Amino acid sequence: MPELPEAETIVRGLAPGLRGTVLHVDGILHPDVVEGEPDAFRRGVDGCSVASVGRRGKNIVLDLAPSSFGARPPTSSSPAASPGARPRSAAAHAPILRLVVNLGMSGRLLLREEGDPSPPPSHPAVRFRVVRDDGSPPALLVYHDIRRFGRLELMDPERWADFHARMGPEPLGPRFTRAALAAGLEASRMPLRSWLLDQGKVAGVGNIYASEAAWRARIHPARRTADIPAERVAPLHTSIRSVLREAVEARGTTLRDYRTAQGWEGSFGARLAVYGRAGDPCPRCRAPIRRIVFSNRSAFLCPRCQPEEGELASFETSAT
DNA sequence: AGTGTATCCTGCAGGC
DNA sequence: TGCCTGCAGGATACAC
């Protein structure tokens, strides 16, 4: 479900309330969402402070460091804490663990402050206590996931380096240049939609924004990337970035399950041009939007704006 | 190299 | 109302 804009929105919602706090695993209600041994996960997380909250592709990343005020007893690798020491001083040279959260199709990360009147999450999978050193009451960080396709993994620096290296450039970052995109497209025979969904090619695009970007760039989603004309690469580059940026500004797209860290819905759904709109008129040319299926997943396009250009392949289509 | 298929799981919408 | 089928924003392993 959640793609880059949704993950980015969650990160922005979590960061102010999580940075500098100490985490304790309060309960692992569904061990299947935790990568590896649940006990090891719990021991690794307990007592760590959150140095920063970030994102890589669709993944939410909490940088963890041994805390100077948490319950974790001092060890040979974490110098004894003096009372009142700031957490970040201990973090400076400590090996950083990373808690990487992939939300799958229906995952949510909800930060619930003490006294929050909203009803408790219906499908909690992992709960964390969020402890602050300013005397304020602890909050609750809940990983909620109806379908449990999401994963929480605690990564050491070596595992993180491998994970990071296997992922393509951030589409909103400086490495994702027009030239890099052109080279990547030319080197592959994949259909454009499959290429965009491949996290090793570019990190963070999912099925919604792949359809939207292809529509903006007027390229058929099944077009082989190596066959995309050179003059369409710049529009595609612009389209990928603009649709992701606009979706971030709108706090993401809520179709069903996605919520921000505060439990709110994203508003970009109202601005989708083609995704989920089979039969509706194309916002550009009024031709009916078409749904096609390939690689076992839906794609949406305007048959007039995004012609197949001689591709022999035919696709199962429907008007609804 | 790239595709189709199956798998993990639950909930919901639509057809009958 | 109830049952059945298909579908869903992701990622991976497998055979071909």
Side-chain angles (χ1 to χ4, degrees):
Chain A
M1 112 173 228
E3 310 180 25
L4 184 153
E6 291 73 35
E8 177 65 24
T9 301
I10 290 165
V11 165
R12 292 181 184 186
L14 287 178
L18 276 191
R19 214 180 292 120
T21 66
V22 170
L23 296 184
H24 294 271
V25 175
D26 191 61
I28 300 175
L29 292 77
H30 286 289
D32 51 346
V33 305
V34 172
E35 197 70 42
E37 273 299 309
D39 283 344
F41 179 85
R42 182 190 295 269
R43 282 194 305 272
V45 169
D46 275 352
C48 281
S49 72
V50 180
S52 64
V53 183
R55 177 187 62 73
R56 179 75 172 99
K58 305 170 185 177
N59 302 276
I60 295 156
V61 183
L62 306 189
D63 285 4
L64 303 182
S67 166
S68 60
F69 72 91
R72 165 173 291 196
T75 67
S76 56
S77 62
S78 64
S82 58
R86 305 305 303 167
R88 51 186 306 276
S89 64
H93 300 290
I96 297 267
L97 291 175
R98 287 177 177 85
L99 176 53
V100 177
V101 181
N102 186 300
L103 298 163
M105 297 281 253
S106 58
R108 304 177 184 177
L109 261 185
L110 300 166
L111 184 58
R112 292 296 175 88
E113 298 298 335
E114 173 78 17
D116 187 325
S118 44
S122 56
H123 294 70
V126 180
R127 276 196 304 254
F128 303 88
R129 282 199 317 284
V130 178
V131 180
R132 296 168 174 138
D133 68 346
D134 60 2
S136 61
L140 211 55
L141 178 67
V142 181
Y143 179 68
H144 173 279
D145 195 345
I146 294 175
R147 295 174 69 182
R148 300 203 301 283
F149 286 178
R151 287 294 176 270
L152 277 62
E153 182 176 357
L154 192 59
M155 298 190 185
D156 63 22
E158 191 180 355
R159 166 75 179 119
W160 167 256
D162 181 58
F163 179 81
H164 184 274
R166 287 171 44 173
M167 223 173 290
E170 288 291 326
L172 297 179
R175 273 177 60 210
F176 187 67
T177 60
R178 263 185 218 174
L181 175 61
L185 295 173
E186 199 177 358
S188 170
R189 302 283 313 153
M190 293 169 107
L192 174 61
R193 199 273 308 269
S194 305
W195 194 93
L196 290 170
L197 291 188
D198 184 342
Q199 301 299 294
K201 303 286 196 293
V202 56
V205 179
N207 211 26
I208 293 181
Y209 300 112
S211 269
E212 294 294 308
W215 176 80
R216 288 186 180 208
R218 303 183 188 233
I219 304 171
H220 195 286
R223 195 89 197 267
R224 306 275 166 188
T225 57
D227 298 338
I228 292 172
E231 70 269 16
R232 304 250 38 93
V233 173
L236 179 59
H237 182 255
T238 304
S239 299
I240 294 166
R241 289 164 65 102
S242 68
V243 74
L244 293 175
R245 264 200 307 264
E246 290 167 29
V248 168
E249 286 167 18
R251 296 201 186 99
T253 301
T254 296
L255 295 181
R256 176 168 294 165
D257 297 307
Y258 160 71
R259 295 295 185 278
T260 72
Q262 287 75 28
W264 307 334
E265 297 191 352
S267 67
F268 196 74
R271 293 172 54 189
L272 295 174
V274 292
Y275 189 87
R277 297 206 187 288
D280 290 357
C282 167
R284 224 164 20 210
C285 78
R286 317 308 291 171
I289 299 302
R290 182 177 295 164
R291 170 180 177 264
I292 66 173
V293 177
F294 65 98
S295 303
N296 272 326
R297 304 191 72 183
S298 296
F300 297 85
L301 64 114
C302 169
R304 190 182 296 167
C305 297
Q306 301 162 269
E308 285 185 51
E309 310 200 34
E311 283 284 330
L312 292 175
S314 65
F315 299 97
E316 181 188 338
T317 63
S318 74
T320 51

